[in-house]
Structures are given as C-alpha cells and as structure tokens.
Amino acid sequence: MQTDTQYDPEQSRRNAEKIRRYHEITEGGLAAADEVLAEEVVVHGAFDGEETHGIEAFRERLADIHDSFSGFSVEIHDIVAQADGGASRWTVSGTFEEPYDGIEPDGERKTNPGISMFRFEDGKIVEIWDREDTHSALQQMGAVPDDA
C-alpha cells in the first residue's frame, strides 16, 4: 500500500494505532472521530456498499447500524500499517433488534467478517475501503434464503 513515501516505522506504528481507534469509533466511540478521521473522509463500500462522504454522514450511517444492532462490537484480527496507509481484518457482531434497511429484526446475534484498507494524509484517515461478507449478513438477517 505504501507509495513513494520512505518507510517510517514510527509513522507506521501511529497509523496502526489510528486504525485501532477507527474500529473503536465504529464500535460506538464516536467522540474520537475528529481525532482520527479527516473532516471530508470518504468511506467506500461501507454499510451495504454505499459511499459515505464526510464525518457527519459517517456518524449518521453508523448510528443507523447501532440503532438496529444492540451490543455492536468489533473484534480486530489483524492490523498492518505503513507511512501512508494500512489495512485491518475484523469481525463485527450485534443483536438484531430493530429494523435495518427494511429488514425486520429477529432478536438474534449476527456476526460478519470483513476487511478495511486505509489511506492517510497529514496524520488522519482520508479514505477507507470496506469489504464485508454482505451475502452472509443478509442470509443471517433472513433477507436472502440460505440456499441462495
């Protein structure tokens, strides 16, 4: 992921910490968003493949998820970072208690694995690419048949 930037182990360590903090934000620590994310952050593919522009739109979309899935949590499996980018592998989970995108809840705990890639500028995350197992998530929520 590193482009023409010289390798800087200290910057890589700081970026890895910011990636960890980003996942704390997605878990519900929205107050830290201004410290970690650039004001005009762009999130590609998050939340059902939508593109989100800016911290406020990110917060709103994340609030929708937290409204639907109680006890929302993120388990981080791996983080790698370099001077201008990084990536993480994670699993999210939460109890589906309120409707989400027109899908009725069943009160059961759902889990979904995914990966994120990050681009940094001036010490903040400016771009994120999220990919998760959306098909499996929709199956768990009853929106797609198990045999589809």
Side-chain angles (χ1 to χ4, degrees), residues 22-23 74-78 88-92 112-118 130-133:
Y22 164 79
H23 288 298
V74 180
E75 179 183 0
I76 302 168
H77 306 293
D78 300 297
S88 62
R89 184 175 64 87
W90 40 264
T91 300
V92 294
N112 196 29
I115 59 170
S116 298
M117 295 179 63
F118 303 86
D130 279 335
R131 293 296 177 256
E132 56 189 277
D133 186 354

Side-chain angles (χ1 to χ4, degrees), residues 135 139 144-148:
H135 185 76
Q139 282 181 322
V144 173
D146 287 341
D147 59 357

Side-chain angles (χ1 to χ4, degrees), residues 34 39 52-61:
D34 294 328
E39 184 66 33
T52 304
H53 293 263
I55 289 178
E56 289 311 312
F58 174 80
R59 284 181 172 135
E60 289 170 13
R61 194 64 174 128

Side-chain angles (χ1 to χ4, degrees), residues 8-24:
D8 179 346
E10 184 55 30
Q11 184 63 46
S12 297
R13 186 197 62 73
R14 286 191 299 268
N15 287 351
E17 177 60 21
K18 287 179 184 162
I19 291 170
R20 186 189 63 74
R21 301 255 341 263
Y22 164 79
H23 288 298
E24 289 175 359

Side-chain angles (χ1 to χ4, degrees), residues 42-79:
V42 177
V43 185
H44 305 277
F47 319 122
D48 303 330
E50 294 181 13
E51 192 168 278
T52 304
H53 293 263
I55 289 178
E56 289 311 312
F58 174 80
R59 284 181 172 135
E60 289 170 13
R61 194 64 174 128
L62 194 56
D64 290 343
I65 290 171
H66 283 265
D67 288 347
S68 297
F69 296 89
S70 68
F72 188 83
S73 65
V74 180
E75 179 183 0
I76 302 168
H77 306 293
D78 300 297
I79 294 177

